[in-house]
Amino acid sequence: MGVSCWSNCCVFRKKCARRCGSLALYLTLHTHLRKVPLKGVDVEVTVRDHVATVTATLLYENKEQSPIEAIFVFPLPSDAAVCHFSAKIGQSEVVAEVREKQKAREEYDDALSSGQQAFLLEESEQSPDMFSLSVGSLPPGESASIRLEYVTELAVQADDSLRFCLPAVLNPRYHPQGSDGTGGTISCGPDTSVPASLVPYSLSLSASVCSPRRITKVESNCSLDPVQYLNQQQTQATVKLASGHKFDRDVELLLYYKDSHLPTAVVEAGCESAKSGTLMGDPVVMLSLYPEFPPAVMSSMTKSGEFLFVIDRSGSMDCSMESAGCCIFSTYSLETLLLLLKSLPVGCYFNIYSFGSTYTHIFPKSVVYSQKTMDEALKVIEGMGADMGGTEILEPLKHIFKQPCIPSQPRQLFVFTDGEVCNTTAVIDVVKRNSGSHRCFSFGIGEGASTALIKGLAKEGRGHAQFITGADRMQSKVMQSLRFALQPAVVDISVTWDVPAGVSVTTLSQPITNLFQGQRSLIYAQLTGQGSGDAEGCVTVKYSLADHPTQNQLKFSLKPTEDTGLTAHRLGARALIRSLEVEAKEHGDQSDPVKAKEKVIEVSVQSGVSSSLTAFIAVNKGNGEAVQGPLLRRNVPAPSLSALEDEDIYNQASQAPRDPMLQLISLQRASGSWLLQSTLAAVLGKTLKDVESTKPTLVSPEVWATVLAVIWLHGFKKDAQVEWEFLAMKAVSWLHGEKVPCMTECVEAGNVLLGCQVQESSMGV
């Protein structure tokens, strides 16, 4: 992928200075950076169970001789509900209001034209995970403290933790050919991004965590000060980001609660100043559901499907995992593709697409999974690299959806990308239009991956989204998604409410389109009317799973909880706004497109939550004196990892020894078996002679090799079982088909040879 002009200059200058010893180019860059008016960002996070309230304070200071206008484009989570924006200049504070976007812009421009200070915060029209903050007419020598607040839900991870992520990296985003008439360019212009190590402002973060369940631990991809527990029950804790954050990664907190999969319901009282019968005036219920599927159904994983792997091979993928110290294509994607291919069920169909400025596919159309096709695919994969230019993801998706579906083979898309595109909406729209023919499992690779794109693909494709950053092990997350893909699809989902007479329910969330075992589903609803003090409500989620009608219920008290900061209302408003935005877009070409947009604006203004059609605007009228002098525009640079800062890490990564488990997996055949050969013996830590001489007489070499491989996985890689369990299941299925007459003797002999104590029953043979 191409990078911004400024980022390219930064890289070129740094490399020249490093290789030639010249400091002149560095001095030019640092002179520019000294003029950046943003000096520091202080973030306070308050987590209540699975919801976070984030307050960010940005300190600006104008050290120039003229008044300035500072523009800062920065990332936020795509599902965040931005609900407060204010500015403090000296002793004066102005609180912004939500206005229709064009009116807010006009008010901002008018204020600057008349010499007044003004502040504008707006969501990008290109992608809901990008915001622009404008600080206008900051006089020489003046400081301003900007405060913005948002609430967001924490995502459930593969290890049952809850993930909070503060996006700190904004990589330049690629404009596909023809998207705006320029083609092959990036959304961020000059002066809007710099290498992470040269960011001229600081970041501090503190988090307060409160949960009804015990907090067992807090982990992060960044350095933290020690966690402080505030009570003996360990239900409250505080943690701080260690000083000196380098802006080389998004800030991630993983929160581990005891019994985190319990369903919960919170009924939040409305705002006293709001009118009864309105969204902000009525109580709002926030339901957190964890569907439990019948064990009999879950044990029968599907053995069919068309699996399409769509791999981003744009240039930016070479540095998506730079902070982890490795090249994404040398150690992550290729090993993950190997694991996926080996784990596919016998008899399914598959194909692998690569995309950059163009796209390719290994086979003209999806092929039956066999030893021949698997070997052919693996041979191509070995030569893959991040060498295909830009990030044109839309065209390969269009091509895929034009291909006819294979009868009785449900189509499953696995999309791997760093998400650095500007046509996010168009990409998500094509997935949504074809959602009836496939499920989409998306993976955001590296720091700064677009949450709007990754979550949007999974949501509209009825799949699941994963983010893989820093030292995350990609394989475990990908295999969790494969497990979801192999689960029977949930269909005919409906939600019904049972509430007392006099109480009505208005659902704010979009309809639930997918359910997965152990994954949370959130529902927001407005409760209008009065029930008795001890009244209860009940929500029932009904669905069909593998032709088995199933339902989950949750009863909850209708008594509102006080002092929750209106988080449920704001998240509910955000859910409603997103639903209305979709409706406005889908009906935009019909007779009354204005009505849907007006509804978006109405909800946004009434709730104080931003939308794609509104913006926050604040004007400081002060003492009426106009700010004097010509206004200088200053762009605040965002950290970017698209500019490589050190090539040595790639050399180190290429020299790393290969994981023995992956060596073993690479030797497995498509049928699930292993051949008895010297390479397998070496992985097992034995000679071929040792392995052959201990083979029971009545079994074939292939059976013996397969038994040993399965024993080795259970005995030495139990902690990574989530990664190899599907290929082990395939191996056991193959062994059953061989009708081995002396399996007990085989397992006992294998345990002796390998020094293990694996039980035959635990292997499933």
Side-chain angles (χ1 to χ4, degrees):
M1 176 186 135
V3 294
S4 68
C5 301
W6 181 252
S7 293
N8 272 332
C9 287
C10 292
V11 179
F12 176 74
R13 289 168 177 169
K14 185 168 184 180
K15 287 182 177 178
C16 286
R18 183 173 68 231
R19 294 171 183 171
C20 304
S22 171
L23 294 178
L25 297 176
Y26 265 135
L27 292 175
T28 301
L29 176 58
H30 283 285
T31 299
H32 168 82
L33 294 178
R34 280 199 298 270
K35 295 181 180 180
V36 173
L38 179 60
K39 302 305 177 185
V41 181
D42 178 64
V43 179
E44 295 181 2
V45 183
T46 302
V47 177
R48 292 192 177 188
D49 206 11
H50 61 268
V51 173
T53 300
V54 183
T55 303
T57 303
L58 294 81
L59 180 62
Y60 286 82
E61 184 179 357
N62 182 8
K63 292 186 176 182
E64 302 193 53
Q65 302 301 312
S66 300
I68 62 170
E69 178 189 19
I71 311 296
F72 185 25
V73 177
F74 59 95
L76 283 181
S78 60
D79 51 5
V82 180
C83 52
H84 177 87
F85 178 53
S86 61
K88 188 173 183 180
I89 310 95
Q91 300 303 311
S92 175
E93 182 176 12
V94 288
V95 178
E97 295 182 348
V98 178
R99 297 267 196 274
E100 187 274 327
K101 184 174 283 187
Q102 188 56 39
K103 290 181 180 178
R105 289 172 175 172
E106 291 172 358
E107 187 174 347
Y108 175 81
D109 291 340
D110 290 345
L112 296 194
S113 298
S114 59
Q116 293 178 317
Q117 292 178 317
F119 308 88
L120 181 70
L121 178 67
E122 55 184 318
E123 178 184 309
S124 168
E125 295 174 357
Q126 299 169 333
S127 183
D129 60 350
M130 290 173 59
F131 279 73
S132 175
L133 168 60
S134 302
V135 176
S137 293
L138 188 61
E142 283 277 356
S143 297
S145 177
I146 311 299
R147 181 172 176 264
L148 66 91
E149 181 179 315
Y150 67 87
V151 290
T152 187
E153 303 148 352
L154 307 187
V156 180
Q157 300 301 289
D159 61 357
D160 295 336
S161 63
L162 294 176
R163 178 179 184 260
F164 166 78
C165 181
L166 178 74
V169 175
L170 180 60
N171 293 320
R173 298 190 178 178
Y174 185 84
H175 270 302
Q177 292 285 344
S179 63
D180 61 354
T182 57
T185 63
I186 48 80
S187 63
C188 303
D191 296 354
T192 59
S193 63
V194 294
S197 61
L198 299 180
V199 172
Y201 44 87
S202 62
L203 172 68
S204 63
L205 180 144
S206 61
S208 172
V209 184
C210 179
S211 171
R213 296 173 289 280
R214 185 166 67 90
I215 305 164
T216 57
K217 62 179 175 177
V218 179
E219 294 182 346
S220 178
N221 62 336
C222 302
S223 297
L224 299 176
D225 291 341
V227 178
Q228 302 291 324
Y229 289 101
L230 305 183
N231 58 14
Q232 289 186 338
Q233 296 78 23
Q234 292 190 7
T235 58
Q236 298 179 37
T238 60
V239 66
K240 290 184 178 180
L241 182 68
S243 60
H245 181 69
K246 302 298 184 184
F247 285 98
D248 58 346
R249 65 197 67 188
D250 297 335
V251 180
E252 180 182 78
L253 294 178
L254 296 177
L255 309 177
Y256 294 81
Y257 298 151
K258 188 179 186 302
D259 301 324
S260 60
H261 279 63
L262 295 177
T264 59
V266 175
V267 177
E268 183 179 78
C271 180
E272 292 183 358
S273 60
K275 183 180 178 181
S276 179
T278 64
L279 171 57
M280 301 306 289
D282 284 344
V284 165
V285 59
M286 176 173 58
L287 300 173
S288 178
L289 304 175
Y290 289 89
E292 292 295 331
F293 299 160
V297 176
M298 292 308 300
S299 63
S300 58
M301 292 286 186
T302 181
K303 292 181 172 58
S304 61
E306 180 193 17
F307 296 88
L308 303 177
F309 306 110
V310 184
I311 313 299
D312 185 346
R313 289 174 55 191
S314 61
S316 59
M317 288 289 285
D318 236 349
C319 48
S320 290
M321 299 291 281
E322 179 185 356
S323 62
C326 61
C327 172
I328 185 73
F329 261 91
S330 66
T331 58
Y332 281 83
S333 289
L334 304 187
E335 292 177 353
T336 301
L337 278 174
L338 166 69
L339 187 60
L340 278 168
L341 283 179
K342 297 289 185 175
S343 301
L344 291 179
V346 176
C348 73
Y349 287 71
F350 80 103
N351 205 348
I352 298 175
Y353 286 74
S354 298
F355 70 89
S357 298
T358 59
Y359 68 91
T360 63
H361 34 80
I362 293 181
F363 305 105
K365 62 180 181 178
S366 296
V367 295
V368 175
Y369 178 70
S370 66
Q371 188 65 40
K372 179 178 180 296
T373 56
M374 185 187 75
D375 286 344
E376 188 174 344
L378 289 173
K379 186 176 181 180
V380 174
I381 288 171
E382 288 177 1
M384 283 185 175
D387 53 7
M388 291 185 66
T391 312
E392 303 266 5
I393 188 174
L394 183 59
E395 292 308 312
L397 290 177
K398 286 181 176 179
H399 172 83
I400 288 170
F401 294 134
K402 287 179 181 177
Q403 308 309 306
C405 291
I406 303 170
S408 302
Q409 302 286 343
R411 179 172 285 173
Q412 315 276 9
L413 259 65
F414 286 69
V415 179
F416 299 83
T417 178
D418 58 14
E420 297 177 12
V421 298
C422 279
N423 60 338
T424 300
T425 301
V427 174
I428 294 173
D429 283 349
V430 75
V431 170
K432 180 181 175 65
R433 288 197 302 272
N434 293 276
S435 60
S437 64
H438 78 286
R439 287 194 291 183
C440 182
F441 299 87
S442 54
F443 303 87
I445 310 297
E447 312 297 340
S450 168
T451 59
L453 178 65
I454 304 305
K455 291 183 178 181
L457 288 174
K459 182 177 183 297
E460 300 302 344
R462 302 178 299 118
H464 185 255
Q466 301 267 24
F467 290 88
I468 300 158
T469 62
D472 284 351
R473 189 163 174 83
M474 180 188 290
Q475 289 90 334
S476 61
K477 292 192 173 186
V478 171
M479 296 313 292
Q480 183 195 38
S481 291
L482 179 60
R483 181 183 294 105
F484 291 155
L486 293 174
Q487 289 178 11
V490 175
V491 297
D492 300 330
I493 304 172
S494 65
V495 178
T496 56
W497 300 82
D498 183 11
V499 292
V503 178
S504 62
V505 179
T506 303
T507 303
L508 305 173
S509 316
Q510 289 182 275
I512 298 175
T513 57
N514 60 291
L515 292 171
F516 295 107
Q517 172 75 17
Q519 287 297 297
R520 184 188 64 214
S521 292
L522 289 168
I523 301 176
Y524 297 94
Q526 176 182 344
L527 303 176
T528 304
Q530 293 290 329
S532 60
D534 57 352
E536 280 192 341
C538 179
V539 64
T540 302
V541 181
K542 296 181 179 179
Y543 49 90
S544 180
L545 180 67
D547 297 324
H548 288 70
T550 309
Q551 68 177 38
N552 297 122
Q553 284 189 332
L554 177 63
K555 294 183 178 180
F556 57 93
S557 170
L558 291 176
K559 184 178 180 181
T561 302
E562 306 291 340
D563 190 29
T564 57
L566 294 175
T567 54
H569 281 75
R570 286 162 175 163
L571 288 170
R574 182 60 163 168
L576 179 58
I577 287 168
R578 283 288 179 245
S579 179
L580 291 170
E581 286 173 337
V582 171
E583 182 181 333
K585 187 183 345 179
E586 290 180 346
H587 300 290
D589 57 349
Q590 296 183 9
S591 58
D592 194 11
V594 177
K595 188 173 181 180
K597 293 184 178 181
E598 287 179 346
K599 185 62 176 176
V600 172
I601 296 169
E602 178 186 344
V603 174
S604 178
V605 171
Q606 287 183 357
S607 64
V609 172
S610 67
S611 73
S612 61
L613 301 178
T614 56
F616 280 96
I617 175 67
V619 177
N620 180 27
K621 302 186 185 302
N623 56 12
E625 295 183 5
V627 176
Q628 301 296 319
L631 194 63
L632 302 179
R633 180 186 174 108
R634 292 289 180 251
N635 290 320
V636 177
S640 169
L641 296 183
S642 290
L644 298 182
E645 299 191 38
D646 193 341
E647 297 165 346
D648 294 337
I649 56 176
Y650 298 103
N651 298 328
Q652 296 168 10
S654 64
Q655 297 168 6
R658 194 176 186 191
D659 184 345
M661 184 180 77
L662 290 170
Q663 293 182 48
L664 180 76
I665 291 171
S666 69
L667 298 173
Q668 189 186 33
R669 296 175 61 77
S671 63
S673 68
W674 276 265
L675 297 179
L676 190 57
Q677 51 192 1
S678 58
T679 48
L680 173 64
V683 174
L684 301 177
K686 304 296 177 182
T687 65
L688 181 59
K689 183 178 179 181
D690 291 337
V691 175
E692 289 178 333
S693 64
T694 53
K695 180 183 74 66
T697 307
L698 297 178
V699 300
S700 68
E702 194 170 354
V703 166
W704 178 230
T706 304
V707 169
L708 289 176
V710 176
I711 290 175
W712 188 89
L713 289 170
H714 279 274
F716 296 101
K717 292 295 179 179
K718 193 70 175 177
D719 58 337
Q721 184 169 353
V722 68
E723 299 180 24
W724 53 257
E725 63 178 330
F726 288 120
L727 59 91
M729 287 168 56
K730 190 161 63 169
V732 169
S733 178
W734 180 84
L735 287 170
H736 286 161
E738 293 299 297
K739 297 180 170 50
V740 182
C742 52
M743 183 57 71
T744 300
E745 180 187 349
C746 257
V747 174
E748 290 175 352
N751 276 320
V752 172
L753 176 64
L754 299 178
C756 297
Q757 294 181 338
V758 177
Q759 299 296 316
E760 184 178 344
S761 58
S762 67
M763 294 171 56
V765 295

